[in-house]
Amino acid sequence: MDHVIRALPDGKEVLLSGRLTFADHNNFRAIIAQFSEPGAKRFVLDLSGIDFIDSAALGMVLLARDTAISRGIHLVLKGAGGQVKRIMEVAKFNTLFTMED
Amino acid sequence: MASSGPGSGGPGGTPGTATVRRIAHPDAAGLAKALEPPTTLVVEEGLADTDTRPTEIRPPSSLGLVLSARTVFGLDVVSLFLNAIATRHPPARTRGHDLEVALQEALANAVIHGSLEVSSALREDPDRFALYCQLVDERLVDPHFGGRAVAVRAEWDQTGLRLSVEDQGGGYDPATLGPAVPSDIAKSGRGLQMIAALANAVAFENRGRRLIMSFAA
């Protein structure tokens, strides 16, 4: 998985691409580290470039959620499609996250 | 670098010639090339122990792959292996999504929990995630853990396809697994649940080191 971080007026957006799997722990650590930066109120994970996600990566997205909540950050999942959208629906992510098209 | 030569059909094998390719330091292109027909088994050189290599190769309706946990971690082995199967057995494409998800989950377990012996409990808590990352990174480069073999095998016939994934870790008792349905906010425990939902049958052998997943045609 590759990721690019860009600034938003009220936070940051991370554009993810490729396969999001158990092998991406260091990518997630880098993303979660961004939550500690001052001023971030809203964080968007743009999943539109992700074509596959496994259960370990789902867990890491949930870890990001825990960290965001503890820091008062609104975490948004955006653009999930195909297999990613289906697996997130099965995992009931719509009840845990703000999901945007 | 890859070398090839005839191998044994192994006990119980039907007539046919196994073609074994050995590959050093595989990258995606090298592994894709090594998996091309008529290969029936690809083995990475320099593994800590190759006892796990699948010996019951039954050409032409099977394909085996034995790589280090480190290599499985670093490459998209799922896509490469399933593409190689589909080349030999086009009906596998009809269940391509099921196979992709199930094999991905099985390999993740074989690498992280089986080979590297890192507990998913460390992924449950943001405060312990750094330790999880540290352990995975350290053990991937440790020959004792990262050099362990992970063996994948596919067999197919007109009734369907069977995938097995085996690691060289300490094994475990599948009866001790957590709840069949993890909580919505659990960070782990979904992999085997997903496999069970997608495969028509699942079996464990060798003290949990070998997972066998059957997919009907």
Side-chain angles (χ1 to χ4, degrees):
Chain A
M1 182 263 281
D2 294 317
H3 74 273
V4 175
I5 300 172
R6 67 184 184 197
L8 297 174
D10 55 350
K12 292 190 176 179
E13 182 173 50
V14 186
L15 295 107
L16 308 170
S17 59
R19 293 169 66 87
L20 194 49
T21 73
F22 70 99
D24 288 308
H25 61 281
N26 283 323
N27 277 314
F28 266 98
R29 188 161 57 164
I31 291 167
I32 292 172
Q34 295 285 321
F35 294 179
S36 300
E37 296 204 351
K41 293 295 177 195
R42 185 168 185 267
F43 217 96
V44 179
L45 293 183
D46 187 331
L47 303 166
S48 57
I50 296 292
D51 48 34
F52 182 88
I53 188 168
D54 71 7
S55 71
L58 284 178
M60 289 188 266
V61 175
L62 287 165
L63 266 182
R65 173 182 176 270
D66 284 1
T67 306
I69 289 172
S70 70
R71 304 210 168 126
I73 293 171
H74 183 204
L75 182 60
V76 176
L77 303 183
K78 176 182 169 185
Q83 181 262 357
V84 179
K85 185 174 185 179
R86 288 198 301 275
I87 199 170
M88 286 186 164
E89 287 171 350
V90 171
K92 301 178 184 171
F93 270 31
N94 58 316
T95 67
L96 301 169
F97 294 89
T98 300
M99 308 280 291
E100 295 181 354
D101 290 334
Chain B
M1 277 291 278
S3 60
S4 64
S8 167
T14 53
T17 302
T19 302
V20 181
R21 294 185 67 85
R22 301 183 184 283
I23 183 167
H25 310 296
D27 57 15
L31 183 53
K33 181 76 177 168
L35 283 167
E36 289 177 357
T39 297
T40 50
L41 174 63
V42 176
V43 181
E44 181 176 350
E45 293 182 339
L47 297 178
D49 181 350
T50 56
D51 285 350
T52 307
R53 58 184 285 183
T55 54
E56 295 177 25
I57 293 296
R58 299 179 179 86
S61 59
S62 69
L63 181 64
L65 177 60
V66 186
L67 299 172
S68 69
R70 185 184 309 120
T71 297
V72 174
F73 185 91
L75 295 180
D76 178 8
V77 172
V78 172
S79 298
L80 292 167
F81 191 69
L82 293 181
N83 283 339
I85 292 173
T87 299
R88 293 160 172 81
H89 182 59
R93 295 187 198 280
T94 61
R95 296 201 64 178
H97 174 259
D98 294 350
L99 296 173
E100 181 181 24
V101 172
L103 183 56
Q104 174 71 29
E105 297 299 331
L107 285 175
N109 285 339
V111 171
I112 300 295
H113 309 316
S115 303
L116 303 186
E117 298 184 27
V118 175
S119 169
S120 57
L122 295 174
R123 283 205 319 254
E124 288 293 331
D125 178 354
D127 294 334
R128 300 172 77 192
F129 187 50
L131 175 58
Y132 170 87
C133 295
Q134 179 187 338
L135 278 176
V136 170
D137 291 344
E138 286 177 357
R139 293 186 179 182
L140 278 172
V141 297
D142 182 335
H144 176 72
F145 296 103
R148 282 174 164 166
V150 174
V152 190
R153 186 170 63 165
E155 292 183 331
W156 56 87
D157 56 26
Q158 69 277 11
T159 67
L161 185 143
R162 286 157 301 286
L163 284 176
S164 71
V165 174
E166 182 169 7
D167 64 67
Q168 294 182 307
Y172 71 105
D173 179 359
T176 64
L177 292 172
V181 180
S183 81
D184 292 348
I185 59 169
K187 282 74 177 178
S188 61
R190 290 182 177 81
L192 286 173
Q193 177 197 9
M194 290 163 63
I195 291 170
L198 295 170
N200 296 93
V202 177
F204 297 91
E205 294 180 352
N206 194 15
R207 289 180 48 198
R209 295 185 188 89
R210 184 185 302 129
L211 173 66
I212 303 168
M213 304 169 284
S214 300
F215 300 85

